[in-house]
Coordinates of all heavy atoms in Angstrom, one line a residue:
Chain B
M1 N 295.2 85.3 -73.7 CA 295.2 84.8 -75.1 C 294.3 85.5 -75.9 O 294.5 85.7 -77.2 CB 294.9 83.3 -75.1 CG 293.5 83.0 -74.6 SD 293.3 81.2 -74.7 CE 291.7 81.0 -73.8
L2 N 293.2 86.1 -75.4 CA 292.3 86.9 -76.1 C 292.2 88.2 -75.4 O 291.4 88.4 -74.5 CB 291.0 86.2 -76.2 CG 291.0 84.7 -76.9 CD1 289.8 83.9 -76.4 CD2 291.0 85.0 -78.3
P3 N 293.0 89.2 -75.8 CA 293.2 90.4 -75.1 C 292.0 91.3 -75.0 O 291.9 92.0 -74.0 CB 294.2 91.1 -75.9 CG 294.3 90.4 -77.2 CD 293.8 89.1 -77.0
S4 N 290.9 91.0 -75.8 CA 289.8 92.0 -75.7 C 288.8 91.5 -74.5 O 287.9 92.2 -74.2 CB 289.0 92.0 -77.0 OG 288.7 90.7 -77.4
L5 N 289.1 90.4 -73.9 CA 288.3 89.9 -72.9 C 288.8 90.2 -71.5 O 290.0 90.4 -71.3 CB 288.1 88.4 -73.0 CG 287.3 87.9 -74.2 CD1 287.4 86.2 -74.2 CD2 285.9 88.2 -74.1
D6 N 287.9 90.3 -70.5 CA 288.3 90.5 -69.2 C 288.9 89.2 -68.6 O 288.7 88.1 -69.2 CB 287.1 91.0 -68.3 CG 286.1 89.9 -68.2 OD1 285.2 89.9 -69.1 OD2 286.1 89.0 -67.4
P7 N 289.7 89.3 -67.6 CA 290.6 88.1 -67.1 C 289.7 87.0 -66.8 O 289.9 85.8 -67.0 CB 291.3 88.7 -66.0 CG 291.4 90.1 -66.2 CD 290.2 90.5 -66.9
R8 N 288.5 87.3 -66.2 CA 287.7 86.1 -65.7 C 287.1 85.3 -67.0 O 287.1 84.1 -67.0 CB 286.5 86.7 -65.0 CG 286.7 86.6 -63.5 CD 285.5 86.9 -62.7 NE 284.4 85.9 -63.0 CZ 283.1 86.3 -62.9 NH1 282.7 87.6 -62.7 NH2 282.1 85.4 -63.1
T9 N 286.8 86.0 -68.0 CA 286.3 85.4 -69.2 C 287.4 84.6 -69.9 O 287.2 83.5 -70.3 CB 285.7 86.3 -70.2 OG1 284.8 87.3 -69.4 CG2 284.8 85.6 -71.3
Q10 N 288.6 85.3 -69.9 CA 289.7 84.5 -70.4 C 290.0 83.3 -69.7 O 290.3 82.3 -70.3 CB 291.0 85.5 -70.3 CG 291.1 86.5 -71.4 CD 292.5 86.9 -71.6 OE1 293.4 86.3 -71.3 NE2 292.7 88.2 -72.0
H11 N 290.0 83.4 -68.4 CA 290.1 82.1 -67.6 C 289.1 81.1 -67.8 O 289.4 79.9 -68.0 CB 290.1 82.6 -66.1 CG 290.5 81.4 -65.2 ND1 291.8 81.0 -65.0 CD2 289.8 80.7 -64.3 CE1 291.8 80.0 -64.2 NE2 290.6 79.8 -63.8
L13 N 287.4 80.7 -70.7 CA 287.7 80.1 -72.0 C 288.8 79.1 -71.9 O 288.8 78.0 -72.5 CB 288.1 81.1 -73.0 CG 286.9 82.1 -73.5 CD1 287.4 83.0 -74.6 CD2 285.8 81.1 -74.2
L42 N 286.6 79.8 -80.2 CA 287.1 80.7 -79.2 C 287.3 82.2 -79.7 O 286.9 83.0 -78.9 CB 288.6 80.2 -78.6 CG 288.6 78.9 -77.9 CD1 290.0 78.4 -77.6 CD2 287.8 79.0 -76.6
I43 N 287.7 82.2 -80.8 CA 287.8 83.6 -81.5 C 286.4 84.2 -81.6 O 286.2 85.3 -81.3 CB 288.5 83.5 -82.9 CG1 290.1 83.1 -82.6 CG2 288.4 84.8 -83.6 CD1 290.8 82.7 -83.8
A45 N 283.8 83.4 -79.9 CA 283.4 83.7 -78.5 C 284.0 85.2 -78.1 O 283.3 86.0 -77.5 CB 283.8 82.7 -77.5
A46 N 285.3 85.3 -78.4 CA 285.9 86.5 -78.0 C 285.2 87.8 -78.5 O 284.9 88.8 -77.8 CB 287.4 86.6 -78.3
A47 N 284.8 87.6 -79.8 CA 284.1 88.8 -80.5 C 282.7 88.9 -80.0 O 282.3 90.1 -79.6 CB 284.1 88.5 -82.0
Q48 N 281.9 87.8 -79.8 CA 280.5 87.9 -79.6 C 280.3 88.1 -78.1 O 279.4 88.9 -77.7 CB 279.9 86.6 -80.0 CG 278.7 86.9 -80.9 CD 278.2 85.6 -81.6 OE1 279.1 85.0 -82.4 NE2 277.1 85.1 -81.3
W49 N 281.0 87.5 -77.2 CA 280.7 87.7 -75.8 C 281.0 89.0 -75.3 O 280.4 89.5 -74.3 CB 281.5 86.6 -75.1 CG 281.2 85.2 -75.3 CD1 280.3 84.8 -76.3 CD2 281.6 84.0 -74.6 NE1 280.2 83.4 -76.3 CE2 281.0 82.9 -75.3 CE3 282.6 83.8 -73.6 CZ2 281.2 81.6 -75.0 CZ3 282.8 82.4 -73.3 CH2 282.1 81.4 -73.9
V50 N 282.0 89.7 -75.9 CA 282.3 91.1 -75.5 C 281.0 91.9 -75.8 O 280.6 92.8 -75.0 CB 283.5 91.6 -76.3 CG1 283.6 93.1 -76.2 CG2 284.8 90.9 -75.6
R51 N 280.4 91.7 -77.0 CA 279.3 92.4 -77.4 C 278.0 92.0 -76.6 O 277.3 92.9 -76.1 CB 279.1 92.2 -78.9 CG 278.3 93.4 -79.6 CD 278.2 92.9 -81.1 NE 277.6 91.6 -81.3 CZ 278.1 90.7 -82.2 NH1 279.2 91.0 -82.8 NH2 277.5 89.5 -82.4
V54 N 278.5 86.9 -71.8 CA 278.7 85.5 -71.8 C 277.4 84.7 -71.8 O 276.5 85.0 -71.0 CB 279.6 85.1 -70.5 CG1 279.8 83.6 -70.5 CG2 280.9 85.8 -70.5

Side-chain angles (χ1 to χ4, degrees):
Chain B
M1 63 178 170
L2 298 158
S4 53
L5 288 174
D6 63 273
R8 263 190 61 212
T9 315
Q10 277 201 31
H11 186 74
L13 283 182
L42 291 172
I43 292 166
Q48 233 166 295
W49 296 5
V50 163
R51 201 178 59 226
V54 177

